[in-house]
PDB file of all heavy atoms in Angstrom:
ATOM      1  N   LYS A  51       1.438  -1.616   1.496  1.00 93.00           N
ATOM      2  CA  LYS A  51       1.269  -1.367  -0.029  1.00 93.00           C
ATOM      3  C   LYS A  51       2.616  -1.271  -0.673  1.00 93.00           C
ATOM      4  O   LYS A  51       2.954  -1.779  -1.742  1.00 93.00           O
ATOM      5  CB  LYS A  51       0.212  -0.355  -0.371  1.00 93.00           C
ATOM      6  CG  LYS A  51       0.007  -0.304  -1.990  1.00 93.00           C
ATOM      7  CD  LYS A  51      -0.732  -1.679  -2.386  1.00 93.00           C
ATOM      8  CE  LYS A  51      -0.956  -1.482  -3.819  1.00 93.00           C
ATOM      9  NZ  LYS A  51      -1.570  -2.595  -4.353  1.00 93.00           N
ATOM     10  N   THR A  52       3.481  -0.352  -0.133  1.00 92.00           N
ATOM     11  CA  THR A  52       4.728  -0.144  -0.788  1.00 92.00           C
ATOM     12  C   THR A  52       5.617  -1.497  -0.748  1.00 92.00           C
ATOM     13  O   THR A  52       6.300  -1.771  -1.674  1.00 92.00           O
ATOM     14  CB  THR A  52       5.434   0.906   0.077  1.00 92.00           C
ATOM     15  OG1 THR A  52       4.573   2.202   0.009  1.00 92.00           O
ATOM     16  CG2 THR A  52       6.825   1.263  -0.453  1.00 92.00           C
ATOM     17  N   MET A  53       5.628  -2.140   0.366  1.00 93.00           N
ATOM     18  CA  MET A  53       6.408  -3.363   0.475  1.00 93.00           C
ATOM     19  C   MET A  53       5.893  -4.341  -0.631  1.00 93.00           C
ATOM     20  O   MET A  53       6.568  -5.145  -1.186  1.00 93.00           O
ATOM     21  CB  MET A  53       6.244  -3.971   1.868  1.00 93.00           C
ATOM     22  CG  MET A  53       7.095  -3.131   2.922  1.00 93.00           C
ATOM     23  SD  MET A  53       8.720  -2.769   2.492  1.00 93.00           S
ATOM     24  CE  MET A  53       9.483  -4.405   2.530  1.00 93.00           C
ATOM     25  N   GLN A  54       4.513  -4.471  -0.863  1.00 92.00           N
ATOM     26  CA  GLN A  54       3.852  -5.276  -1.798  1.00 92.00           C
ATOM     27  C   GLN A  54       4.465  -4.979  -3.180  1.00 92.00           C
ATOM     28  O   GLN A  54       4.762  -5.962  -3.953  1.00 92.00           O
ATOM     29  CB  GLN A  54       2.413  -5.219  -1.650  1.00 92.00           C
ATOM     30  CG  GLN A  54       1.815  -6.207  -2.638  1.00 92.00           C
ATOM     31  CD  GLN A  54       0.169  -5.923  -2.588  1.00 92.00           C
ATOM     32  OE1 GLN A  54      -0.326  -5.067  -1.967  1.00 92.00           O
ATOM     33  NE2 GLN A  54      -0.605  -6.642  -3.403  1.00 92.00           N
ATOM     34  N   VAL A  55       4.466  -3.711  -3.444  1.00 89.00           N
ATOM     35  CA  VAL A  55       4.853  -3.229  -4.807  1.00 89.00           C
ATOM     36  C   VAL A  55       6.467  -3.573  -5.026  1.00 89.00           C
ATOM     37  O   VAL A  55       6.743  -4.093  -6.098  1.00 89.00           O
ATOM     38  CB  VAL A  55       4.659  -1.662  -5.038  1.00 89.00           C
ATOM     39  CG1 VAL A  55       5.327  -1.169  -6.229  1.00 89.00           C
ATOM     40  CG2 VAL A  55       3.097  -1.457  -5.045  1.00 89.00           C
ATOM     41  N   ILE A  56       7.221  -3.370  -4.014  1.00 89.00           N
ATOM     42  CA  ILE A  56       8.576  -3.660  -4.003  1.00 89.00           C
ATOM     43  C   ILE A  56       8.830  -5.152  -4.271  1.00 89.00           C
ATOM     44  O   ILE A  56       9.604  -5.550  -5.152  1.00 89.00           O
ATOM     45  CB  ILE A  56       9.283  -3.136  -2.745  1.00 89.00           C
ATOM     46  CG1 ILE A  56       9.400  -1.608  -2.797  1.00 89.00           C
ATOM     47  CG2 ILE A  56      10.734  -3.820  -2.706  1.00 89.00           C
ATOM     48  CD1 ILE A  56       9.898  -1.077  -1.484  1.00 89.00           C
ATOM     49  N   ASN A  57       8.095  -5.896  -3.462  1.00 88.00           N
ATOM     50  CA  ASN A  57       8.255  -7.388  -3.627  1.00 88.00           C
ATOM     51  C   ASN A  57       7.823  -7.847  -4.957  1.00 88.00           C
ATOM     52  O   ASN A  57       8.314  -8.807  -5.533  1.00 88.00           O
ATOM     53  CB  ASN A  57       7.427  -8.270  -2.458  1.00 88.00           C
ATOM     54  CG  ASN A  57       8.178  -8.067  -1.157  1.00 88.00           C
ATOM     55  OD1 ASN A  57       9.280  -7.799  -1.169  1.00 88.00           O
ATOM     56  ND2 ASN A  57       7.342  -8.093  -0.092  1.00 88.00           N
ATOM     57  N   ASP A  58       6.658  -7.249  -5.525  1.00 86.00           N
ATOM     58  CA  ASP A  58       6.168  -7.591  -6.942  1.00 86.00           C
ATOM     59  C   ASP A  58       7.211  -7.341  -7.855  1.00 86.00           C
ATOM     60  O   ASP A  58       7.472  -8.094  -8.850  1.00 86.00           O
ATOM     61  CB  ASP A  58       4.945  -6.994  -7.173  1.00 86.00           C
ATOM     62  CG  ASP A  58       3.630  -7.549  -6.450  1.00 86.00           C
ATOM     63  OD1 ASP A  58       3.818  -8.719  -5.773  1.00 86.00           O
ATOM     64  OD2 ASP A  58       2.628  -7.001  -6.378  1.00 86.00           O
ATOM     65  N   GLU A  59       7.783  -6.290  -7.734  1.00 82.00           N
ATOM     66  CA  GLU A  59       8.888  -5.766  -8.651  1.00 82.00           C
ATOM     67  C   GLU A  59      10.081  -6.683  -8.766  1.00 82.00           C
ATOM     68  O   GLU A  59      10.501  -7.063  -9.746  1.00 82.00           O
ATOM     69  CB  GLU A  59       9.342  -4.349  -8.478  1.00 82.00           C
ATOM     70  CG  GLU A  59      10.355  -3.788  -9.407  1.00 82.00           C
ATOM     71  CD  GLU A  59       9.756  -3.629 -10.846  1.00 82.00           C
ATOM     72  OE1 GLU A  59       8.530  -3.406 -11.094  1.00 82.00           O
ATOM     73  OE2 GLU A  59      10.635  -3.757 -11.783  1.00 82.00           O
ATOM     74  N   ASP A  60      10.459  -7.088  -7.421  1.00 77.00           N
ATOM     75  CA  ASP A  60      11.542  -8.003  -7.322  1.00 77.00           C
ATOM     76  C   ASP A  60      11.222  -9.367  -8.031  1.00 77.00           C
ATOM     77  O   ASP A  60      12.177  -9.956  -8.673  1.00 77.00           O
ATOM     78  CB  ASP A  60      11.902  -8.210  -5.829  1.00 77.00           C
ATOM     79  CG  ASP A  60      12.684  -7.055  -5.214  1.00 77.00           C
ATOM     80  OD1 ASP A  60      13.107  -6.150  -5.998  1.00 77.00           O
ATOM     81  OD2 ASP A  60      12.877  -6.910  -4.038  1.00 77.00           O
ATOM     82  N   SER A  61       9.988  -9.859  -7.745  1.00 78.00           N
ATOM     83  CA  SER A  61       9.577 -11.084  -8.317  1.00 78.00           C
ATOM     84  C   SER A  61       9.606 -11.064  -9.755  1.00 78.00           C
ATOM     85  O   SER A  61      10.153 -12.015 -10.502  1.00 78.00           O
ATOM     86  CB  SER A  61       8.163 -11.450  -7.800  1.00 78.00           C
ATOM     87  OG  SER A  61       7.778 -12.606  -8.298  1.00 78.00           O
ATOM     88  N   ASN A  62       9.121  -9.943 -10.293  1.00 75.00           N
ATOM     89  CA  ASN A  62       9.212  -9.798 -11.800  1.00 75.00           C
ATOM     90  C   ASN A  62      10.609  -9.826 -12.425  1.00 75.00           C
ATOM     91  O   ASN A  62      10.716 -10.347 -13.460  1.00 75.00           O
ATOM     92  CB  ASN A  62       8.343  -8.491 -12.338  1.00 75.00           C
ATOM     93  CG  ASN A  62       6.847  -8.669 -12.026  1.00 75.00           C
ATOM     94  OD1 ASN A  62       6.239  -9.686 -11.942  1.00 75.00           O
ATOM     95  ND2 ASN A  62       6.110  -7.548 -11.805  1.00 75.00           N
ATOM     96  N   GLN A  63      11.440  -9.125 -11.647  1.00 76.00           N
ATOM     97  CA  GLN A  63      12.780  -9.017 -12.129  1.00 76.00           C
ATOM     98  C   GLN A  63      13.502 -10.339 -12.162  1.00 76.00           C
ATOM     99  O   GLN A  63      14.191 -10.684 -13.108  1.00 76.00           O
ATOM    100  CB  GLN A  63      13.606  -8.058 -11.320  1.00 76.00           C
ATOM    101  CG  GLN A  63      14.825  -7.375 -11.862  1.00 76.00           C
ATOM    102  CD  GLN A  63      15.328  -6.195 -10.981  1.00 76.00           C
ATOM    103  OE1 GLN A  63      15.125  -6.262  -9.815  1.00 76.00           O
ATOM    104  NE2 GLN A  63      16.000  -5.357 -11.513  1.00 76.00           N
ATOM    105  N   HIS A  64      13.188 -11.128 -11.065  1.00 73.00           N
ATOM    106  CA  HIS A  64      13.713 -12.467 -11.067  1.00 73.00           C
ATOM    107  C   HIS A  64      13.166 -13.418 -12.179  1.00 73.00           C
ATOM    108  O   HIS A  64      13.846 -14.199 -12.637  1.00 73.00           O
ATOM    109  CB  HIS A  64      13.517 -13.114  -9.766  1.00 73.00           C
ATOM    110  CG  HIS A  64      14.299 -12.461  -8.547  1.00 73.00           C
ATOM    111  ND1 HIS A  64      15.617 -12.622  -8.478  1.00 73.00           N
ATOM    112  CD2 HIS A  64      13.946 -11.853  -7.430  1.00 73.00           C
ATOM    113  CE1 HIS A  64      16.091 -11.979  -7.432  1.00 73.00           C
ATOM    114  NE2 HIS A  64      14.989 -11.540  -6.787  1.00 73.00           N
TER     115      HIS A  64
END
Side-chain angles (χ1 to χ4, degrees):
K51 183 63 179 176
T52 301
M53 292 306 295
Q54 180 185 2
V55 168
I56 289 170
N57 289 336
D58 287 349
E59 183 64 29
D60 286 345
S61 176
N62 289 340
Q63 204 169 25
H64 289 298

